[in-house]
PDB file of all heavy atoms in Angstrom:
ATOM      1  N   GLU J  16     122.771 112.368 101.615  1.00 96.00           N
ATOM      2  CA  GLU J  16     123.759 112.285 102.694  1.00 96.00           C
ATOM      3  C   GLU J  16     124.330 113.667 103.042  1.00 96.00           C
ATOM      4  O   GLU J  16     125.422 113.785 103.584  1.00 96.00           O
ATOM      5  CB  GLU J  16     124.902 111.345 102.288  1.00 96.00           C
ATOM      6  CG  GLU J  16     124.468 109.926 101.992  1.00 96.00           C
ATOM      7  CD  GLU J  16     123.985 109.182 103.224  1.00 96.00           C
ATOM      8  OE1 GLU J  16     124.504 109.435 104.329  1.00 96.00           O
ATOM      9  OE2 GLU J  16     123.067 108.352 103.076  1.00 96.00           O
ATOM     10  N   LYS J  17     123.585 114.704 102.714  1.00 96.00           N
ATOM     11  CA  LYS J  17     124.067 116.088 102.876  1.00 96.00           C
ATOM     12  C   LYS J  17     124.399 116.430 104.322  1.00 96.00           C
ATOM     13  O   LYS J  17     123.929 115.777 105.245  1.00 96.00           O
ATOM     14  CB  LYS J  17     123.020 117.064 102.353  1.00 96.00           C
ATOM     15  CG  LYS J  17     121.747 117.098 103.171  1.00 96.00           C
ATOM     16  CD  LYS J  17     120.702 117.953 102.512  1.00 96.00           C
ATOM     17  CE  LYS J  17     119.356 117.818 103.173  1.00 96.00           C
ATOM     18  NZ  LYS J  17     118.779 116.491 103.119  1.00 96.00           N
ATOM     19  N   PHE J  18     125.219 117.441 104.484  1.00 97.00           N
ATOM     20  CA  PHE J  18     125.534 117.989 105.792  1.00 97.00           C
ATOM     21  C   PHE J  18     125.831 119.472 105.634  1.00 97.00           C
ATOM     22  O   PHE J  18     126.139 119.946 104.535  1.00 97.00           O
ATOM     23  CB  PHE J  18     126.708 117.254 106.455  1.00 97.00           C
ATOM     24  CG  PHE J  18     127.932 117.118 105.586  1.00 97.00           C
ATOM     25  CD1 PHE J  18     128.894 118.125 105.528  1.00 97.00           C
ATOM     26  CD2 PHE J  18     128.129 115.959 104.826  1.00 97.00           C
ATOM     27  CE1 PHE J  18     130.022 117.988 104.741  1.00 97.00           C
ATOM     28  CE2 PHE J  18     129.263 115.818 104.040  1.00 97.00           C
ATOM     29  CZ  PHE J  18     130.208 116.832 103.991  1.00 97.00           C
ATOM     30  N   GLU J  19     125.695 120.220 106.720  1.00 97.00           N
ATOM     31  CA  GLU J  19     125.950 121.657 106.679  1.00 97.00           C
ATOM     32  C   GLU J  19     127.377 121.936 106.238  1.00 97.00           C
ATOM     33  O   GLU J  19     128.302 121.207 106.602  1.00 97.00           O
ATOM     34  CB  GLU J  19     125.700 122.287 108.048  1.00 97.00           C
ATOM     35  CG  GLU J  19     124.255 122.392 108.406  1.00 97.00           C
ATOM     36  CD  GLU J  19     124.018 123.168 109.686  1.00 97.00           C
ATOM     37  OE1 GLU J  19     124.994 123.632 110.327  1.00 97.00           O
ATOM     38  OE2 GLU J  19     122.844 123.312 110.059  1.00 97.00           O
ATOM     39  N   ASN J  20     127.533 122.987 105.476  1.00 98.00           N
ATOM     40  CA  ASN J  20     128.835 123.451 104.983  1.00 98.00           C
ATOM     41  C   ASN J  20     129.503 122.469 104.023  1.00 98.00           C
ATOM     42  O   ASN J  20     130.724 122.462 103.897  1.00 98.00           O
ATOM     43  CB  ASN J  20     129.764 123.816 106.146  1.00 98.00           C
ATOM     44  CG  ASN J  20     129.160 124.887 107.021  1.00 98.00           C
ATOM     45  OD1 ASN J  20     128.549 125.832 106.527  1.00 98.00           O
ATOM     46  ND2 ASN J  20     129.304 124.758 108.322  1.00 98.00           N
ATOM     47  N   MET J  21     128.698 121.663 103.347  1.00 98.00           N
ATOM     48  CA  MET J  21     129.209 120.759 102.320  1.00 98.00           C
ATOM     49  C   MET J  21     129.678 121.604 101.129  1.00 98.00           C
ATOM     50  O   MET J  21     128.977 122.519 100.706  1.00 98.00           O
ATOM     51  CB  MET J  21     128.097 119.795 101.885  1.00 98.00           C
ATOM     52  CG  MET J  21     128.464 118.886 100.734  1.00 98.00           C
ATOM     53  SD  MET J  21     127.023 117.921 100.176  1.00 98.00           S
ATOM     54  CE  MET J  21     127.215 116.487 101.192  1.00 98.00           C
ATOM     55  N   VAL J  22     130.861 121.305 100.625  1.00 98.00           N
ATOM     56  CA  VAL J  22     131.406 122.014  99.463  1.00 98.00           C
ATOM     57  C   VAL J  22     131.675 120.989  98.364  1.00 98.00           C
ATOM     58  O   VAL J  22     132.435 120.037  98.570  1.00 98.00           O
ATOM     59  CB  VAL J  22     132.698 122.786  99.809  1.00 98.00           C
ATOM     60  CG1 VAL J  22     133.263 123.466  98.565  1.00 98.00           C
ATOM     61  CG2 VAL J  22     132.427 123.818 100.905  1.00 98.00           C
ATOM     62  N   ILE J  23     131.036 121.205  97.214  1.00 98.00           N
ATOM     63  CA  ILE J  23     131.203 120.330  96.065  1.00 98.00           C
ATOM     64  C   ILE J  23     131.791 121.151  94.928  1.00 98.00           C
ATOM     65  O   ILE J  23     131.218 122.157  94.512  1.00 98.00           O
ATOM     66  CB  ILE J  23     129.863 119.699  95.636  1.00 98.00           C
ATOM     67  CG1 ILE J  23     129.264 118.913  96.804  1.00 98.00           C
ATOM     68  CG2 ILE J  23     130.064 118.801  94.408  1.00 98.00           C
ATOM     69  CD1 ILE J  23     127.879 118.356  96.525  1.00 98.00           C
ATOM     70  N   CYS J  24     132.946 120.733  94.450  1.00 98.00           N
ATOM     71  CA  CYS J  24     133.674 121.445  93.401  1.00 98.00           C
ATOM     72  C   CYS J  24     133.538 120.675  92.088  1.00 98.00           C
ATOM     73  O   CYS J  24     133.922 119.514  92.009  1.00 98.00           O
ATOM     74  CB  CYS J  24     135.149 121.566  93.783  1.00 98.00           C
ATOM     75  SG  CYS J  24     135.397 122.449  95.335  1.00 98.00           S
ATOM     76  N   LEU J  25     132.991 121.335  91.080  1.00 98.00           N
ATOM     77  CA  LEU J  25     132.741 120.698  89.791  1.00 98.00           C
ATOM     78  C   LEU J  25     133.656 121.274  88.720  1.00 98.00           C
ATOM     79  O   LEU J  25     133.821 122.490  88.640  1.00 98.00           O
ATOM     80  CB  LEU J  25     131.282 120.906  89.366  1.00 98.00           C
ATOM     81  CG  LEU J  25     130.203 120.533  90.380  1.00 98.00           C
ATOM     82  CD1 LEU J  25     128.826 120.837  89.810  1.00 98.00           C
ATOM     83  CD2 LEU J  25     130.310 119.077  90.792  1.00 98.00           C
ATOM     84  N   ASP J  26     134.223 120.398  87.918  1.00 98.00           N
ATOM     85  CA  ASP J  26     135.048 120.828  86.791  1.00 98.00           C
ATOM     86  C   ASP J  26     134.747 119.948  85.591  1.00 98.00           C
ATOM     87  O   ASP J  26     134.315 118.807  85.743  1.00 98.00           O
ATOM     88  CB  ASP J  26     136.543 120.751  87.141  1.00 98.00           C
ATOM     89  CG  ASP J  26     136.985 121.945  87.964  1.00 98.00           C
ATOM     90  OD1 ASP J  26     136.922 123.077  87.439  1.00 98.00           O
ATOM     91  OD2 ASP J  26     137.368 121.750  89.134  1.00 98.00           O
ATOM     92  N   GLY J  27     134.983 120.492  84.430  1.00 97.00           N
ATOM     93  CA  GLY J  27     134.740 119.780  83.184  1.00 97.00           C
ATOM     94  C   GLY J  27     134.430 120.793  82.096  1.00 97.00           C
ATOM     95  O   GLY J  27     134.053 121.925  82.380  1.00 97.00           O
ATOM     96  N   GLU J  28     134.576 120.362  80.875  1.00 94.00           N
ATOM     97  CA  GLU J  28     134.371 121.287  79.765  1.00 94.00           C
ATOM     98  C   GLU J  28     132.919 121.760  79.703  1.00 94.00           C
ATOM     99  O   GLU J  28     132.030 121.192  80.336  1.00 94.00           O
ATOM    100  CB  GLU J  28     134.801 120.637  78.451  1.00 94.00           C
ATOM    101  CG  GLU J  28     133.969 119.435  78.057  1.00 94.00           C
ATOM    102  CD  GLU J  28     134.514 118.747  76.811  1.00 94.00           C
ATOM    103  OE1 GLU J  28     135.535 118.040  76.925  1.00 94.00           O
ATOM    104  OE2 GLU J  28     133.919 118.926  75.749  1.00 94.00           O
ATOM    105  N   LEU J  29     132.699 122.801  78.936  1.00 93.00           N
ATOM    106  CA  LEU J  29     131.372 123.358  78.727  1.00 93.00           C
ATOM    107  C   LEU J  29     130.431 122.260  78.237  1.00 93.00           C
ATOM    108  O   LEU J  29     130.783 121.492  77.344  1.00 93.00           O
ATOM    109  CB  LEU J  29     131.457 124.486  77.695  1.00 93.00           C
ATOM    110  CG  LEU J  29     130.258 125.401  77.567  1.00 93.00           C
ATOM    111  CD1 LEU J  29     130.019 126.153  78.867  1.00 93.00           C
ATOM    112  CD2 LEU J  29     130.495 126.400  76.441  1.00 93.00           C
ATOM    113  N   GLY J  30     129.252 122.155  78.857  1.00 92.00           N
ATOM    114  CA  GLY J  30     128.277 121.162  78.439  1.00 92.00           C
ATOM    115  C   GLY J  30     128.529 119.760  78.942  1.00 92.00           C
ATOM    116  O   GLY J  30     127.904 118.804  78.476  1.00 92.00           O
ATOM    117  N   SER J  31     129.406 119.608  79.927  1.00 96.00           N
ATOM    118  CA  SER J  31     129.741 118.266  80.403  1.00 96.00           C
ATOM    119  C   SER J  31     128.814 117.753  81.500  1.00 96.00           C
ATOM    120  O   SER J  31     128.849 116.573  81.825  1.00 96.00           O
ATOM    121  CB  SER J  31     131.199 118.219  80.879  1.00 96.00           C
ATOM    122  OG  SER J  31     131.411 119.113  81.947  1.00 96.00           O
ATOM    123  N   GLY J  32     127.987 118.625  82.082  1.00 96.00           N
ATOM    124  CA  GLY J  32     127.021 118.163  83.076  1.00 96.00           C
ATOM    125  C   GLY J  32     127.085 118.830  84.431  1.00 96.00           C
ATOM    126  O   GLY J  32     126.384 118.418  85.357  1.00 96.00           O
ATOM    127  N   LYS J  33     127.898 119.851  84.573  1.00 97.00           N
ATOM    128  CA  LYS J  33     128.054 120.512  85.874  1.00 97.00           C
ATOM    129  C   LYS J  33     126.731 121.115  86.360  1.00 97.00           C
ATOM    130  O   LYS J  33     126.330 120.898  87.501  1.00 97.00           O
ATOM    131  CB  LYS J  33     129.140 121.588  85.793  1.00 97.00           C
ATOM    132  CG  LYS J  33     130.517 121.044  85.443  1.00 97.00           C
ATOM    133  CD  LYS J  33     131.582 122.131  85.360  1.00 97.00           C
ATOM    134  CE  LYS J  33     131.343 123.156  84.282  1.00 97.00           C
ATOM    135  NZ  LYS J  33     131.420 122.640  82.907  1.00 97.00           N
ATOM    136  N   THR J  34     126.063 121.860  85.503  1.00 95.00           N
ATOM    137  CA  THR J  34     124.803 122.491  85.895  1.00 95.00           C
ATOM    138  C   THR J  34     123.700 121.447  86.040  1.00 95.00           C
ATOM    139  O   THR J  34     122.838 121.571  86.908  1.00 95.00           O
ATOM    140  CB  THR J  34     124.414 123.596  84.902  1.00 95.00           C
ATOM    141  OG1 THR J  34     125.486 124.553  84.830  1.00 95.00           O
ATOM    142  CG2 THR J  34     123.153 124.325  85.347  1.00 95.00           C
ATOM    143  N   VAL J  35     123.724 120.406  85.246  1.00 96.00           N
ATOM    144  CA  VAL J  35     122.749 119.313  85.386  1.00 96.00           C
ATOM    145  C   VAL J  35     122.878 118.685  86.777  1.00 96.00           C
ATOM    146  O   VAL J  35     121.879 118.427  87.452  1.00 96.00           O
ATOM    147  CB  VAL J  35     122.939 118.251  84.279  1.00 96.00           C
ATOM    148  CG1 VAL J  35     122.104 117.012  84.561  1.00 96.00           C
ATOM    149  CG2 VAL J  35     122.597 118.825  82.917  1.00 96.00           C
ATOM    150  N   PHE J  36     124.109 118.466  87.218  1.00 97.00           N
ATOM    151  CA  PHE J  36     124.352 117.932  88.556  1.00 97.00           C
ATOM    152  C   PHE J  36     123.743 118.872  89.604  1.00 97.00           C
ATOM    153  O   PHE J  36     123.056 118.429  90.529  1.00 97.00           O
ATOM    154  CB  PHE J  36     125.854 117.768  88.797  1.00 97.00           C
ATOM    155  CG  PHE J  36     126.196 117.230  90.155  1.00 97.00           C
ATOM    156  CD1 PHE J  36     126.346 115.864  90.360  1.00 97.00           C
ATOM    157  CD2 PHE J  36     126.374 118.084  91.236  1.00 97.00           C
ATOM    158  CE1 PHE J  36     126.653 115.362  91.616  1.00 97.00           C
ATOM    159  CE2 PHE J  36     126.676 117.592  92.493  1.00 97.00           C
ATOM    160  CZ  PHE J  36     126.820 116.228  92.687  1.00 97.00           C
ATOM    161  N   THR J  37     123.977 120.159  89.447  1.00 97.00           N
ATOM    162  CA  THR J  37     123.460 121.145  90.400  1.00 97.00           C
ATOM    163  C   THR J  37     121.934 121.134  90.414  1.00 97.00           C
ATOM    164  O   THR J  37     121.314 121.238  91.471  1.00 97.00           O
ATOM    165  CB  THR J  37     123.996 122.544  90.070  1.00 97.00           C
ATOM    166  OG1 THR J  37     125.427 122.494  90.040  1.00 97.00           O
ATOM    167  CG2 THR J  37     123.547 123.571  91.095  1.00 97.00           C
ATOM    168  N   LYS J  38     121.318 120.992  89.248  1.00 96.00           N
ATOM    169  CA  LYS J  38     119.858 120.904  89.171  1.00 96.00           C
ATOM    170  C   LYS J  38     119.352 119.697  89.955  1.00 96.00           C
ATOM    171  O   LYS J  38     118.337 119.780  90.649  1.00 96.00           O
ATOM    172  CB  LYS J  38     119.403 120.791  87.712  1.00 96.00           C
ATOM    173  CG  LYS J  38     119.527 122.070  86.942  1.00 96.00           C
ATOM    174  CD  LYS J  38     119.097 121.866  85.492  1.00 96.00           C
ATOM    175  CE  LYS J  38     119.295 123.146  84.701  1.00 96.00           C
ATOM    176  NZ  LYS J  38     118.864 123.008  83.303  1.00 96.00           N
ATOM    177  N   GLY J  39     120.048 118.577  89.850  1.00 97.00           N
ATOM    178  CA  GLY J  39     119.663 117.386  90.595  1.00 97.00           C
ATOM    179  C   GLY J  39     119.744 117.601  92.097  1.00 97.00           C
ATOM    180  O   GLY J  39     118.858 117.183  92.853  1.00 97.00           O
TER     181      GLY J  39
END
């Protein structure tokens, strides 16, 4: 459902899945 200029802000402790989400 992406659109131009989409901003997704991720927070959570180290190893919680932020980079995994980005990989997806």
Side-chain angles (χ1 to χ4, degrees):
E16 300 292 327
K17 67 187 170 297
F18 51 86
E19 287 187 359
N20 302 320
M21 175 186 269
V22 178
I23 302 175
C24 301
L25 308 178
D26 280 296
E28 65 185 76
L29 194 63
S31 61
K33 298 180 297 294
T34 303
V35 170
F36 180 92
T37 304
K38 287 178 183 181

